[in-house]
Each structure stands twice: as structure tokens, then as C-alpha cells.
Amino acid sequence: MISQEESILSKSNRRTEAALKDIFTNDFRIGAAVNPLTIRTQEELLAYHFNSITAENEMKFASLQPEEGVYAFDEADRLAAFAREHGMVMRGHTLVWHNQSTGWLFEDKQGNPIDKATLLERMKSHIHTVVGRYKDDIYAWDVVNEVIEDEGDGLLRRSKWLDIAGPEFIARAFEYAHEADPHAVLFYNDYNESHPAKRDKIYTLVKSLLEQDVPIHGIGLQAHWNVYDPSLDEIRAALEKYASLGLQLQLTELDMSMFRFDDKRTDLTEPSAELLELQAERYDRIFKLLKEYRNEITSVTFWGAADDYTWLDDFPIRGRKNWPFLFDGLHRPKPAFYRLTELASK
Ligand code: GLA
């Protein structure tokens, strides 16, 4: 349901601020993650400021193929139609991931683990069906999401994909996606991508894929950041290192939490002026840095659009409100937005 307040806002609001997509028009596209609810409740904001969307959940494995051979495309189709209607491009997210993949994928009818050949066959069939269907709507896919191990020296995260198919599932996923749509730009996508140890592992993985001639064209930096971390130097070092592989880069899931990751405070009911200023300063510095890499960075997507809807309201602290975006709960520009208007391309 759209509340009365929201409906009045979207009808009466005549925006006078510059559009984000215009501010960065000579630099990169500006995207937002959306879902069937937010394309209604945030439609005016999305249409005005953004020129790219990503489905928040609707194109993940479990959403698209909940049972073997039974596809559910309705919601994903609605999001693709929204992009077309508003002249936006769309990123596809995501084909192979250890989360939000259904149980049946890894098991036979008796519930026993399947073998490698069967898993790769299922993967191929899913990728061909999905990438083929959205060929005309989606220009870039997050083909493989989050396979790097966060802790220790191990390169790859333990998962059913890895247990059953071995490391080869990664290269195969890119090959199947490339077969299904030779024009799609194919990404490896991960979080904590600017932390030095994880950055080096992501680099190692992607480099080895390139050495095997795997069709991979980009690295997605999820960029789930907060107002303190990672440091500008760490972000710059990550951009440099990834760019040295000669691939295009995109920020795919940007948000700027008001809390450090391990901060458990729950007393804040609205952001203080100091926090809003800190966030503004941080967005300003980060976008200045991103503009330096405008030849490598082709798109910056936020993991949402305005503070009325963010996954961070529940993560990592259940029920705690967060305010990670450039627009407030009523879709009005925040101090951070106004700082970015000063970066407009001449
Ligand atoms: C990861 C995934 C996204 C999303 C976020 C949390 O970053 O790539 O699809 O699930 O976690 O919302």
C-alpha cells in the first residue's frame, strides 16, 4: 500500500534539484536496486534521478526457478517493463550464488546430493533460460556472486556449488552466460571488496579466469560501506588493483550505513545533524574519487534509492533503522545529495 503521505508527495512534488544521472552524465550511469513495491512507492524519485535499475531479489535463482523447470518470471518481468517504460538500462543480478538458491538444485528426487555433471547441466539450463529471456532488457549480469572466502588464506568459500562441482563451476557459469547472450557484459561481484586481504583474493580469482580465457568483462564492487569504513585509501587501492586487470568496474550495491559494522547501538531514532554531515562529507569524497576513475567505472548503483526502504533497517541488527542514501524517507535530497551537485560535470 502507498500511504496517503507518499501519494501526496509524489503528486505534488515538483523537483527543482539537479538530477543525479545528469550530475554524473559524463562519468557513469547512476542506478538503484528496486523491487515490486519500490517501483510504485519510489517511482517519481527513480524516474527523475536514476538511469539504471537492478532487481533486489526478483532475478535470483530461488525467485526465478523455485522448482525444477518451473519458472516464475512475473515480478522480474514487471521490473524489466519499468526500466523500459522509463528509458533506463537494467543490470541482471544474479545467476550463481550460495544464498537464495533453492534446495532442489543440489539434490535428486530422493534428497541425495547430485553429481557434478548434473549440477552443471542444471546451471547451464537456468542461465540459458534466464539470460536468453532478458537479452533485450539486460545489458550486464552479475554472473557469479560472493565466492571468495572472507577469513584466512583459503581462496574460495565453502558452498554446495564448490563441494559438488569444484572450482570449475565459476568458469562454466561465465561461459554459459556468454553463450546465452554474447553481447552481455559479465561481472564477478563481491562485498568487502576494498579490504586488502579480500581485494587480493578477488584479484587472484579474476586474474586466473582471464588466464583461462573465461569471458569475464567486469568486476562489481558491492560497496556496502559505512560512514567510517573502508578508508579512501583502501577504496583507491582496490580500484587501482582491479583496473590493472583491464576490466570495467561498477559499484553494484552502494550504501553508506550510519553505523560501523560491529556497532550494536539501537538508541538512534533519527540521524543527528553531525551524522548527516559526516555522511555528506563521505559521499562527497568518495564520488570525487570515483570521478577520477570515470574511464574504468561505467556505473554506480545504490542498493535502494531513499531512506524509507533499505535492507539495512534489519541488518545486522534486527529492527534498527538506518539512513544510508542520498534521499530521506520522504524522498527529499539530504545534505549528501547537495554536496554531490557541486561535482556536476562541466
Ligand atoms: C548481497 C547480495 C544482494 C543482497 C545483499 C543484501 O550483497 O549480492 O543481492 O542480497 O547482499 O541485501
Side-chain angles (χ1 to χ4, degrees), residues 56-57 60 93 97 100 145-146 189 191 222 224 253 303 311:
E56 185 186 16
N57 289 301
K60 292 173 178 171
H93 176 83
W97 191 25
Q100 293 178 253
N145 201 33
E146 305 181 351
N189 190 48
Y191 65 94
Q222 288 190 5
H224 289 296
E253 307 184 15
W303 205 242
W311 73 295

Side-chain angles (χ1 to χ4, degrees), residues 121-311:
E121 198 41 55
R122 288 178 179 182
M123 178 207 262
K124 180 175 182 176
S125 150
H126 181 84
I127 291 179
H128 273 248
T129 305
V130 172
V131 174
R133 181 182 185 89
Y134 295 108
K135 241 183 173 150
D136 296 332
D137 294 303
I138 289 184
Y139 79 100
W141 272 100
D142 292 328
V143 177
V144 174
N145 201 33
E146 305 181 351
V147 294
I148 294 293
E149 173 58 48
D150 283 283
E151 308 293 335
D153 295 331
L155 187 69
L156 298 180
R157 167 201 299 278
R158 278 290 303 272
S159 71
K160 290 192 176 162
W161 288 110
L162 186 63
D163 285 351
I164 299 172
E168 181 190 329
F169 78 91
I170 301 169
R172 291 292 91 77
F174 281 95
E175 285 161 13
Y176 300 150
H178 190 59
E179 283 165 17
D181 180 2
H183 300 295
V185 190
L186 305 181
F187 282 80
Y188 175 71
N189 190 48
D190 213 330
Y191 65 94
N192 283 347
E193 73 302 308
S194 299
H195 289 179
K198 183 115 176 241
R199 172 200 72 204
D200 288 351
K201 291 192 206 177
I202 294 172
Y203 173 88
T204 301
L205 169 70
V206 174
K207 187 160 183 284
S208 91
L209 294 175
L210 288 168
E211 283 162 2
Q212 298 163 62
D213 287 328
V214 171
I216 174 172
H217 314 114
I219 298 181
L221 295 83
Q222 288 190 5
H224 289 296
W225 296 338
N226 62 57
V227 291
Y228 310 99
D229 181 77
S231 73
L232 266 279
D233 287 346
E234 285 173 336
I235 298 171
R236 180 186 294 280
L239 292 170
E240 278 292 329
K241 185 140 195 174
Y242 297 145
S244 75
L245 291 167
L247 299 178
Q248 60 170 285
L249 309 180
Q250 297 196 345
L251 270 62
T252 54
E253 307 184 15
L254 175 62
D255 39 34
M256 204 65 68
S257 167
M258 291 293 197
F259 307 100
R260 285 185 197 281
F261 190 72
D262 55 4
D263 184 346
K264 300 203 167 44
R265 71 181 288 191
T266 52
D267 58 320
L268 215 58
T269 50
E270 57 180 312
S272 62
E274 290 75 23
L275 268 177
L276 287 170
E277 178 50 31
L278 186 61
Q279 189 181 48
E281 182 66 25
R282 181 98 166 122
Y283 265 120
D284 180 40
R285 286 170 179 238
I286 287 175
F287 272 82
K288 279 184 182 138
L289 176 61
L290 300 180
K291 275 171 73 85
E292 287 184 45
Y293 290 87
R294 54 191 270 204
N295 292 334
E296 290 79 22
I297 298 173
T298 51
S299 175
V300 174
T301 292
F302 292 80
W303 205 242
D307 290 345
D308 54 317
Y309 180 85
T310 165
W311 73 295

Side-chain angles (χ1 to χ4, degrees), residues 67-96:
E67 288 171 56
E68 185 165 18
V70 180
Y71 285 85
F73 287 122
D74 279 12
E75 295 197 324
D77 284 356
R78 268 161 54 207
L79 302 182
F82 180 85
R84 278 199 302 276
E85 189 187 323
H86 292 287
M88 299 163 162
V89 298
M90 188 167 196
R91 302 187 79 258
H93 176 83
T94 177
L95 298 169
V96 173

